[in-house]
Amino acid sequence: MLFSLKVIFFLSLLLLPVLKSSWVTLSNNGYDGIVIAINPSVPEDEKLIQNIKAMVTEASTYLFYATKRRAYFRNVSILIPMTWKSKPEYLMPKQESYDQADVIVADPYLKYGDDPYTLQYGQCGEKGQYIHFTPNFLLTNNLPIYGPRGRVFVHEWAHLRWGIFDEYNEDRPFYISRRNTIEATRCSTHITGTNVVRNCKKDSCITRQCRYDSKTGLYEAKCTFIPNRSQTAKESIMFMQNLESVAEFCTEETHNTEAPNLQNKMCNHKSTWNIIMHSEDFQHLSPMTEINSPPHPTFSLLKSKQRVVCLVLDKSGSMAAEDRLFRMNQAAELYLIQIIEKGSLVGMVTFDSYAQIQNNLIKITEDNTYQKITANLPQEASGGTSICNGLKAGFQAISQSNQSTLGSEIILLTDGEDNQISLCFEEVRQSGAIIHTIALGPSAEKELETLSNMTRGHRFYAHNDINGLIDAFSRISSRSGSIFQQALQLESKTLNISEKKWVNGTVPVDSTVGNDTFFVVTWTIQKPEIILQSPKGKKYTTSDFQEDKLNIRSARLRIPGIAETGTWTYSLRNNHAQSQLLTVTVTTRARSPTTLPVIATAHMNRNTAHYPSPMIVYARVSQGFLPVLGINVTAIIENEDGHQVTLELWDNGAGADTVKNDGIYSRYFTDYHGNGRHSLKVHAQARKNTARLSLRQQQNKALYIPGYVENGKIILNSPKPEVKDDVAEAQIDDFSRLTSGESFTVSGVPPNSNPSQVFPPGKIVDLEAKFQGDRIQLSWTAPGKVLDKGRADSYIIRISKSFRNLQEDFDKATLINTSGLIPKEAGSVENFEFKPERSKTENGTTFYIAIQATRETSLTSEVSNIAQATKFIPPPEPSIPDLGTNISAIGLVVFGLAVISYIF
């Protein structure tokens, strides 16, 4: 069984957003266009809106001073779910939606806490996906734990907007500094405090001084840094924004380059302020020296509306080629029957040189109302291509049905060129509609994506095959945040079957899905023989599959009730005398309103690339907010010529992947074969019981403060609920998910180019070092010859006793003999051991080590992260008394506690 998320703990109906272009703008020092969206599962509560307003207002002033008078929050929209009652002050949204919001308010990531966090998995300086606040965080007093909400919001905004990372590290809370002092991982080191271990039973805690770990030279596990409440340090917001004195980000002067935190790892030891000032926001922005404080933000309350969708389909003469009209109709029919959510209002327009409204809006219900629309799918292709006429007719179909075009969606599919498309750009902007575009084939109008980009719509490219179209339509689901009606793809496969031959396949149906399950088969010449068998042996044959009435060569079977959990088996036989293409598509929905389904989403790190800039493929696999680990995730990228590149994506914390085991699977894409549009498809599979669900907290979050030292006493907060190591993961069923990412465009690729000759080996980002006796042991993840692909030719390892010297002048550091070290295939674990030479090694000696990977063409990777190894001989342990048992005020024996020292 998949891990059960009980409804008492986890009521969210979550549609997890994918990468989006930020619609927030910064002009005249004010941020506009911020969207904070409340999930439909959150109960109506006026106080929630009041507290959001108060948080943002407080944050605006804090941000103003943190950015040295450069920025504040000017305009913010709060998106109210349809499930709440209407009020006169609620306005109609334009293109704002839950799945593209900057901030979401939804039930917890898991039942163990309400840590505010930012979904952030790009590279240094790249924007995050969204900030997540729980209702409980916004409605209860968390001041002792996180500090004022406004400060927390700025901490998360820095993740989201500027792509900087946290300056603490819960996995490595301490490190040995270059001055051989044990330091708390933090920025800046001027923040003072004490280090204690506390053992709590019910309402009683025993607190004592931290002991040394004889193996690491650091403090023992569970040692915690407790800050002094009274501080003089102003930095840093990315460490402890809760401290009253903290009001700034770490600068070059105050940044702690040694701390083993994600900021140093991801940003090459640069300070957070350095990254912020190099962001597009602040490169040409001057401080507002003329005012003491910014004006208060303006808030708009928007209430989500019923979903309105109009299909605008091309039936011009070029659609007759390569069966495009048939394939469009097959995909559109599948969308109307299997994908669009019940209760939606749907219309249809067809166009060539002119446009015709085939249907005004019709409400899709359970009683086959979709047939009123599918009956009007075009049967003949002729004429020219006028996209503007099609769009105008789409707007008319919506308005004639007494619906506003504001926030309505148009799905525009075309294969043709139209040099007049720009003439209606302004009308599209004024409509407030969301335009999703599907470019079919290599000749589709090149400005098509402009419509999606200006209206917050999705953009897809489909080659001439039916699967590409079906996959694109399947991704255009509700943007409201409710996931239980969302259709999920379990299978999407094209099979070229020879005459009179059988082909077999399997599809797992896991225990999170099974409602409204369809098996669909399409063909190019003649209907095949079909056999489908359930996990318990029930057979469905060709006669059970309903053939459409429009002669568009497809047949479907809707499984009655809830589809059986387990592996379904299908067999197809081509009875025709020629080989033909058959496709198999399987869609389903969540099993029940209390079981969150496993979801996969995919995207590239940007929508355009100019050769030879590499791109990154991202796929997120999750159940609710919980990452799914240990599965096979494969990306298929196809260009306009039909050339496909297949990439296995990794969640190993190396190469393009930011954090290991966070459910984000990543890989560099470098195999450019021509210019133009490219499509992205991702297949996530769990087989042979390898999948597991991570129950641990997200990265990039506001730190849960364990307590404070105040007036010589330790004031403890309630212990943070933790996931025990033995239940940190839960095994889940085998499953299969397919999803499409939005299309992207490549330019600048020269004829007959060889991308493998352009890119160097990837940077090593996870180098670790430790002493074993008098030798240093290294470990890291192998990069490739071409970023994270293939096998590098050699390694250059250098060592120094000076961190700064190694960082600033790697080539002058001492070279380690690596003649016997042969690089492994990319993604493999590398281990290497050596003895430091020509240097006296004694207790407390610290070495810094870094690596480069090379290839035969003299291309060399960036220098790796800098690893530290300290020779440590543990002293005899003194007896240490406990320091009291009162949870609210524990006497602090100053001589018994190690107070953090400065290193600068």
Side-chain angles (χ1 to χ4, degrees):
M1 291 291 291
L2 272 148
F3 182 73
S4 176
L5 300 176
K6 295 184 179 178
V7 69
I8 189 172
F9 293 121
F10 208 18
L11 298 174
S12 52
L13 319 181
L14 304 167
L15 176 59
L16 302 178
V18 299
L19 184 75
K20 58 193 182 299
S21 298
S22 175
W23 288 84
V24 177
T25 59
L26 179 63
S27 62
N28 297 323
N29 301 91
Y31 281 112
D32 298 315
I34 301 164
V35 177
I36 300 176
I38 301 172
N39 191 273
S41 70
V42 175
E44 185 166 359
D45 191 332
E46 179 62 33
K47 188 179 178 183
L48 192 59
I49 296 176
Q50 295 172 3
N51 286 4
I52 289 173
K53 289 181 178 180
M55 174 182 69
V56 176
T57 301
E58 179 184 41
S60 183
T61 302
Y62 190 60
L63 178 72
F64 181 73
Y65 292 112
T67 57
K68 306 184 191 305
R69 298 173 182 262
R70 284 176 172 83
Y72 66 97
F73 298 123
R74 183 161 47 215
N75 291 299
V76 179
S77 296
I78 301 175
L79 190 61
I80 311 297
M82 280 183 61
T83 49
W84 289 26
K85 296 177 182 177
S86 295
K87 293 184 178 181
E89 62 267 31
Y90 292 169
L91 305 176
M92 182 178 294
K94 295 182 180 178
Q95 292 149 343
E96 299 87 354
S97 63
Y98 180 89
D99 76 333
Q100 291 193 333
D102 305 289
V103 182
I104 60 173
V105 178
D107 287 310
Y109 169 77
L110 42 74
K111 64 185 180 183
Y112 299 99
D114 293 286
D115 285 347
Y117 73 93
T118 302
L119 181 62
Q120 175 190 10
Y121 47 79
Q123 303 300 297
C124 180
E126 292 185 359
K127 292 180 174 65
Q129 304 301 293
Y130 59 78
I131 298 168
H132 178 192
F133 293 121
T134 68
N136 192 51
F137 169 80
L138 291 168
L139 293 172
T140 59
N141 179 17
N142 297 287
L143 191 65
I145 297 172
Y146 303 107
R149 292 192 193 99
R151 290 176 170 233
V152 174
F153 186 71
V154 172
H155 176 103
E156 299 308 330
W157 183 260
H159 286 308
L160 180 77
R161 186 69 184 178
W162 304 313
I164 58 178
F165 298 86
D166 286 323
E167 293 166 334
Y168 61 88
N169 188 337
E170 290 182 317
D171 295 325
R172 295 184 62 183
F174 297 95
Y175 68 99
I176 299 175
S177 78
R178 67 188 68 156
R179 296 182 60 183
N180 288 329
T181 57
I182 301 177
E183 298 288 346
T185 301
R186 69 203 192 283
C187 193
S188 75
T189 53
H190 295 153
I191 291 180
T192 58
T194 191
N195 310 311
V196 298
V197 172
R198 65 174 181 177
N199 296 309
C200 298
K201 294 182 178 180
K202 296 184 178 180
D203 294 333
S204 178
C205 287
I206 298 175
T207 304
R208 61 170 173 78
Q209 176 187 354
C210 298
R211 299 187 178 98
Y212 291 101
D213 185 319
S214 60
K215 294 181 179 180
T216 65
L218 296 169
Y219 292 126
E220 63 189 295
K222 297 184 179 180
C223 182
T224 302
F225 173 72
I226 308 289
N228 295 326
R229 186 179 289 277
S230 177
Q231 302 276 348
T232 59
K234 296 182 179 180
E235 310 88 3
S236 168
I237 293 169
M238 301 314 290
F239 175 51
M240 284 186 176
Q241 76 288 328
N242 57 294
L243 297 173
E244 186 175 351
S245 68
V246 170
E248 298 179 3
F249 297 95
C250 267
T251 64
E252 293 302 297
E253 292 73 28
T254 56
H255 178 60
N256 179 5
T257 58
E258 291 185 297
N261 55 36
L262 203 55
Q263 172 64 23
N264 278 330
K265 172 189 172 182
M266 295 301 300
C267 296
N268 199 25
H269 301 272
K270 293 180 181 178
S271 72
T272 53
W273 185 244
N274 179 296
I275 304 302
I276 292 170
M277 287 304 295
H278 282 86
S279 71
E280 61 183 2
D281 283 351
F282 296 147
Q283 286 186 18
H284 307 290
L285 192 68
S286 300
M288 300 175 68
T289 55
E290 70 280 4
I291 63 172
N292 290 323
S293 59
H296 283 188
T298 299
F299 295 94
S300 301
L301 301 181
L302 313 176
K303 188 172 186 292
S304 298
K305 68 171 191 174
Q306 184 179 26
R307 191 177 187 199
V308 174
V309 179
C310 186
L311 304 182
V312 177
L313 306 178
D314 187 351
K315 68 176 188 68
S316 61
S318 57
M319 290 291 289
E322 302 185 54
D323 261 355
R324 288 178 187 163
L325 194 73
F326 267 113
R327 288 169 177 163
M328 178 184 75
N329 289 347
Q330 288 173 332
E333 182 186 60
L334 183 142
Y335 179 75
L336 292 167
I337 298 174
Q338 300 173 220
I339 306 300
I340 188 73
E341 297 81 8
K342 299 297 186 291
S344 301
L345 296 173
V346 182
M348 185 171 71
V349 165
T350 58
F351 70 93
D352 43 43
S353 301
Y354 304 94
Q356 182 177 358
I357 298 174
Q358 300 293 344
N359 294 95
N360 284 325
L361 299 181
I362 297 173
K363 188 170 185 178
I364 300 295
T365 61
E366 297 288 349
D367 56 359
N368 296 332
T369 48
Y370 65 85
Q371 292 179 351
K372 297 178 183 178
I373 304 175
T374 57
N376 293 323
L377 286 168
Q379 300 302 301
E380 294 183 0
S382 62
T385 304
S386 176
I387 292 171
C388 283
N389 283 342
L391 290 173
K392 291 176 181 179
F395 299 151
Q396 187 179 359
I398 294 170
S399 58
Q400 285 180 354
S401 303
N402 298 317
Q403 293 292 321
S404 172
T405 56
L406 289 175
S408 296
E409 299 171 70
I410 284 181
I411 301 176
L412 170 63
L413 185 151
T414 182
D415 76 333
E417 297 179 2
D418 178 5
N419 59 14
Q420 302 291 308
I421 186 173
S422 60
L423 297 179
C424 59
F425 282 176
E426 185 56 34
E427 187 172 348
V428 167
R429 287 191 186 94
Q430 293 297 324
S431 74
I434 300 162
I435 314 292
H436 308 296
T437 59
I438 302 175
L440 177 57
S443 299
E445 172 55 40
K446 300 306 179 186
E447 285 194 276
L448 197 61
E449 284 81 3
T450 306
L451 293 167
S452 298
N453 295 341
M454 72 169 65
T455 64
R456 307 192 190 190
H458 295 307
R459 43 185 282 173
F460 298 101
Y461 166 69
H463 199 60
N464 290 320
D465 64 291
I466 177 60
N467 283 99
L469 279 176
I470 290 175
D471 297 341
F473 271 109
S474 297
R475 271 284 286 110
I476 306 174
S477 56
S478 170
R479 302 151 70 90
S480 70
S482 178
I483 200 173
F484 293 111
Q485 279 202 343
Q486 181 185 342
L488 305 172
Q489 274 187 292
L490 306 186
E491 182 65 283
S492 176
K493 183 176 290 186
T494 300
L495 306 162
N496 191 351
I497 307 180
S498 303
E499 56 179 301
K500 309 299 182 182
K501 296 295 184 181
W502 283 93
V503 67
N504 303 315
T506 60
V507 180
V509 175
D510 59 84
S511 61
T512 68
V513 296
N515 189 25
D516 201 28
T517 303
F518 287 88
F519 284 78
V520 181
V521 177
T522 72
W523 56 91
T524 53
I525 304 175
Q526 184 185 72
K527 185 177 181 180
E529 186 176 345
I530 308 169
I531 300 175
L532 176 66
Q533 184 168 306
S534 76
K536 293 183 179 179
K538 180 177 176 56
K539 282 191 177 182
Y540 301 90
T541 60
T542 311
S543 60
D544 295 309
F545 281 72
Q546 181 179 354
E547 193 169 351
D548 69 273
K549 299 177 181 179
L550 300 175
N551 191 31
I552 54 177
R553 300 193 288 259
S554 69
R556 66 176 34 81
L557 169 67
R558 182 179 185 179
I559 304 300
I562 303 295
E564 291 176 19
T565 298
T567 300
W568 289 69
T569 303
Y570 61 85
S571 300
L572 305 175
R573 184 175 190 266
N574 176 19
N575 290 322
H576 199 266
Q578 301 176 23
S579 62
Q580 66 170 329
L581 292 178
L582 307 180
T583 72
V584 178
T585 304
V586 183
T587 64
T588 189
R589 301 183 198 269
R591 177 166 293 260
S592 74
T594 58
T595 304
L596 291 169
V598 171
I599 297 290
T601 58
H603 62 84
M604 307 299 292
N605 64 324
R606 57 184 183 274
N607 287 333
T608 59
H610 188 82
Y611 182 85
S613 176
M615 298 187 75
I616 299 176
V617 190
Y618 291 113
R620 185 181 187 210
V621 187
S622 57
Q623 186 184 15
F625 288 118
L626 299 175
V628 177
L629 314 179
I631 61 174
N632 297 321
V633 181
T634 304
I636 301 171
I637 295 171
E638 185 175 23
N639 71 0
E640 291 182 352
D641 295 331
H643 183 276
Q644 290 188 348
V645 174
T646 301
L647 287 173
E648 180 185 351
L649 307 186
W650 297 335
D651 185 14
N652 60 359
D657 195 59
T658 304
V659 176
K660 185 177 182 179
N661 289 338
D662 65 348
I664 311 296
Y665 296 78
S666 316
R667 200 77 184 275
Y668 284 109
F669 170 65
T670 59
D671 292 329
Y672 295 115
H673 292 271
N675 297 303
R677 294 183 175 102
H678 289 61
S679 65
L680 169 64
K681 178 177 177 178
V682 165
H683 192 188
Q685 284 184 301
R687 302 282 187 179
K688 300 180 180 178
N689 298 317
T690 60
R692 57 196 192 277
L693 204 61
S694 172
L695 310 184
R696 293 201 175 278
Q697 287 279 17
Q698 281 276 10
Q699 301 275 339
N700 308 313
K701 62 181 185 292
L703 184 61
Y704 190 104
I705 307 302
Y708 302 89
V709 179
E710 187 172 10
N711 298 324
K713 295 181 180 180
I714 299 178
I715 311 298
L716 294 177
N717 290 321
S718 299
K720 180 180 179 181
E722 296 287 352
V723 181
K724 295 181 179 179
D725 290 340
D726 58 348
V727 293
E729 295 177 351
Q731 189 171 340
I732 61 176
D733 294 345
D734 288 351
F735 66 85
S736 175
R737 296 289 187 274
L738 283 103
T739 188
S740 289
E742 295 192 19
S743 62
F744 63 97
T745 304
V746 174
S747 62
V749 180
N752 304 316
S753 64
N754 185 356
S756 65
Q757 300 301 316
V758 177
F759 300 102
K763 177 183 176 180
I764 296 165
V765 296
D766 59 351
L767 177 65
E768 297 282 347
K770 66 179 181 180
F771 263 98
Q772 187 65 38
D774 60 353
R775 302 180 71 81
I776 294 177
Q777 295 178 339
L778 303 179
S779 64
W780 66 94
T781 302
K785 176 176 287 192
V786 180
L787 293 176
D788 56 8
K789 182 180 178 182
R791 185 195 303 262
D793 292 314
S794 63
Y795 291 118
I796 299 171
I797 301 179
R798 294 187 182 272
I799 187 171
S800 175
K801 285 188 176 180
S802 169
F803 177 93
R804 200 174 300 277
N805 288 349
L806 187 66
Q807 181 187 28
E808 296 177 354
D809 203 345
F810 174 80
D811 290 335
K812 290 185 178 180
T814 302
L815 185 66
I816 301 300
N817 183 358
T818 58
S819 58
L821 178 58
I822 300 174
K824 296 179 181 177
E825 194 73 17
S828 304
V829 176
E830 298 273 28
N831 293 288
F832 182 68
E833 183 177 290
F834 67 95
K835 182 178 180 180
E837 301 291 343
R838 295 177 297 183
S839 178
K840 184 178 180 182
T841 303
E842 57 189 15
N843 190 31
T845 300
T846 296
F847 289 101
Y848 300 95
I849 306 101
I851 304 181
Q852 284 182 311
T854 69
R855 54 181 297 185
E856 76 282 350
T857 54
S858 299
L859 288 172
T860 305
S861 74
E862 294 182 54
V863 177
S864 72
N865 66 298
I866 298 175
Q868 170 189 332
T870 301
K871 181 73 172 179
F872 175 70
I873 302 173
E877 290 189 1
S879 61
I880 302 171
D882 290 332
L883 298 179
T885 59
N886 189 325
I887 192 168
S888 61
I890 299 175
L892 173 59
V893 182
V894 176
F895 67 85
L897 294 175
V899 178
I900 296 299
S901 61
Y902 302 168
I903 65 171
F904 292 134

